[in-house]
Amino acid sequence: MSRNVELTKADQVFNNSVRWLAKMGISLMGTRLLAVRGRKTGEWRTTAVNLLTYEGEPYLVAPRGH
């Protein structure tokens, strides 16, 4: 069962700050900026993700979402 979580203003400010820091090359606890070009529009979309290691393998994990 999935659910949507409404972001508060504080969450939005924090997320934007972490995204900006990642864009500037400053990592907080393994934060990286993932950029993907849209399939139809060709626009770049970015999101902050965390690089975690599980059983010796690196994984990108979104702090919010599934």
Side-chain angles (χ1 to χ4, degrees):
M1 181 158 90
S2 65
R3 63 186 177 99
N4 294 326
V5 178
E6 290 290 326
L7 294 179
T8 65
K9 273 290 196 202
D11 289 333
Q12 291 173 354
V13 169
F14 180 76
N15 288 344
N16 288 336
S17 300
V18 170
R19 183 180 296 120
W20 183 82
L21 287 171
K23 188 176 180 179
M24 296 293 117
I26 301 170
S27 175
L28 299 176
M29 297 177 63
T31 302
R32 303 287 191 272
L33 195 62
L34 176 66
V36 179
R37 185 172 284 207
R39 181 176 49 138
K40 293 182 181 180
T41 65
E43 292 181 32
W44 284 98
R45 314 252 181 205
T46 60
T47 188
V49 294
N50 294 339
L51 182 62
L52 299 176
T53 303
Y54 177 72
E55 295 183 354
E57 296 292 323
Y59 290 90
L60 290 178
V61 179
R64 292 187 180 266
H66 302 284

